[in-house]
Amino acid sequence: MKKKLDISGVDPILFVGLDDKNIKALEKHFKSKIVVRGSSMNLDGDKSEINQIESIVQNMLTIINKKGSLSVDDVSDLLLHDNLDENNISNDKELIVLHSHSGPIFARTKGQKKYLKAILENDIVFAVGPAGTGKTYQAVASAVASLKNKEVDKIVITRPAVEAGERLGFLPGDLKEKIDPYLTPLYDALRFMLPNDKLKLYLESKVIEIAPLAYMRGRTLHNAFMILDEAQNATKMQMKMFLTRLGVTSKAIITGDVTQIDLPPNDKSGLIDAIHVLKNIKDISFVEFGARDVVRHELVKKIISAYSDNEDHKEKKNV
């Protein structure tokens, strides 16, 4: 497996170290071929080992951004703690998802770090949890990172426009102007991660597409990074339709919150159905977020916990 990593967010001299000692430490530890040229790092080796190296490189970049330096001792310490399983994920080590023009984007909580690991190791990832846990934001950051690293040729981000319903026809403007308000959070995330001129170019050339879920029908997307946001509002048929768009060397992330379903009462959420139907398929990962993963205002955690406690109380009362 070959992979190209972007290290443009830091000084390459700091990254490789004096006399290339940092890179030599990596080469000594791994069997994979490692070559640094300018702002890129080229890897060639076993897939599982490449994923390990990528995680370590992300931590190396984090250290440089935080400390302004990186010693061979720092690299050696990372090599001793290169597992990202649940027991080893600590909240004091923040992993970088993307080096953006606005600064690095981190996986901060335990849930977000498990999410990053799942994205690196699987072609389909379901991220389920409450608002404010970074499900969509981190998915978009991972997609942009894959595009920058030339792992994919395009990004396709979609979400159901359930709330539009029959009211869509009464909104002013053409179809794009009617739909765009429902896609605003996705545009906002991309604006933080990409310079305006580059984002405009990507959107105009359709390297990045943002569209309602209905626009996905009949397509097969090869070498693409696909994101289905607000998936709890997709029907069972829409979910199946989206998942079967996956082409060769493509990845898909499905995000949603099963407590905020806006579908009509008789329609079952495609997200809930997919979790049940696909739970035993290897290489599909399911990451569940909780209130502890909320990275918005501290009150948001308390609000989510209060609602969760209230629902639990109702269920016990009805038993």
Side-chain angles (χ1 to χ4, degrees), residues 136-155:
T136 301
Y137 196 75
Q138 189 170 331
V140 175
S142 295
V144 173
S146 290
L147 185 65
K148 287 181 68 177
N149 292 336
K150 303 188 186 305
E151 297 164 8
V152 296
D153 295 329
K154 70 180 303 171
I155 297 170

Side-chain angles (χ1 to χ4, degrees), residues 148-176:
K148 287 181 68 177
N149 292 336
K150 303 188 186 305
E151 297 164 8
V152 296
D153 295 329
K154 70 180 303 171
I155 297 170
V156 178
I157 311 174
T158 185
R159 69 192 309 187
V162 170
E163 296 168 31
E166 295 176 355
R167 293 172 294 171
L168 193 62
F170 297 100
L171 293 173
D174 59 20
L175 183 60
K176 183 180 185 302

Side-chain angles (χ1 to χ4, degrees), residues 153-156 200-209 219:
D153 295 329
K154 70 180 303 171
I155 297 170
V156 178
K200 183 179 179 182
L201 177 64
Y202 282 157
L203 290 170
E204 289 176 350
S205 61
K206 295 193 178 297
V207 171
I208 297 179
E209 286 187 62
R219 304 179 65 184

Side-chain angles (χ1 to χ4, degrees), residues 232-255:
Q232 75 276 1
N233 289 328
T235 64
K236 291 166 61 176
M237 290 301 296
Q238 285 176 325
M239 177 62 73
K240 182 181 177 182
M241 180 268 290
F242 174 82
L243 293 172
T244 53
R245 301 309 93 195
L246 195 71
V248 179
T249 64
S250 290
K251 294 177 77 78
I253 299 180
I254 300 92
T255 72

Side-chain angles (χ1 to χ4, degrees), residues 34-174:
I34 302 172
V35 178
V36 177
R37 289 179 180 167
S39 61
S40 297
M41 185 176 191
N42 298 298
L43 307 175
D44 188 355
D46 179 75
K47 182 179 179 180
S48 61
E49 190 171 90
I50 295 298
N51 288 332
Q52 284 184 330
I53 296 172
E54 184 171 12
S55 295
I56 289 170
V57 168
Q58 296 286 4
N59 276 304
M60 290 167 66
L61 297 172
T62 301
I63 291 172
I64 294 173
N65 275 292
K66 284 190 170 185
K67 293 171 49 179
S69 63
L70 177 70
S71 69
V72 69
D73 289 336
D74 291 326
V75 177
S76 297
D77 182 58
L78 291 174
L79 291 170
L80 289 172
H81 303 88
D82 62 355
N83 287 324
L84 280 178
D85 60 40
E86 189 167 0
N87 295 325
N88 276 335
I89 297 172
S90 59
N91 287 328
D92 59 347
K93 288 186 178 180
E94 295 177 342
L95 306 174
I96 293 180
V97 182
L98 169 70
H99 290 278
S100 76
H101 73 294
S102 303
I105 295 171
F106 295 96
R108 299 185 183 278
T109 69
K110 184 180 289 187
Q112 288 180 354
K113 292 168 188 175
K114 287 178 64 179
Y115 189 22
L116 177 59
K117 182 182 190 304
I119 293 169
L120 293 174
E121 295 183 353
N122 298 274
D123 288 336
I124 297 179
V125 177
F126 284 80
V128 182
T133 50
K135 304 183 302 295
T136 301
Y137 196 75
Q138 189 170 331
V140 175
S142 295
V144 173
S146 290
L147 185 65
K148 287 181 68 177
N149 292 336
K150 303 188 186 305
E151 297 164 8
V152 296
D153 295 329
K154 70 180 303 171
I155 297 170
V156 178
I157 311 174
T158 185
R159 69 192 309 187
V162 170
E163 296 168 31
E166 295 176 355
R167 293 172 294 171
L168 193 62
F170 297 100
L171 293 173
D174 59 20

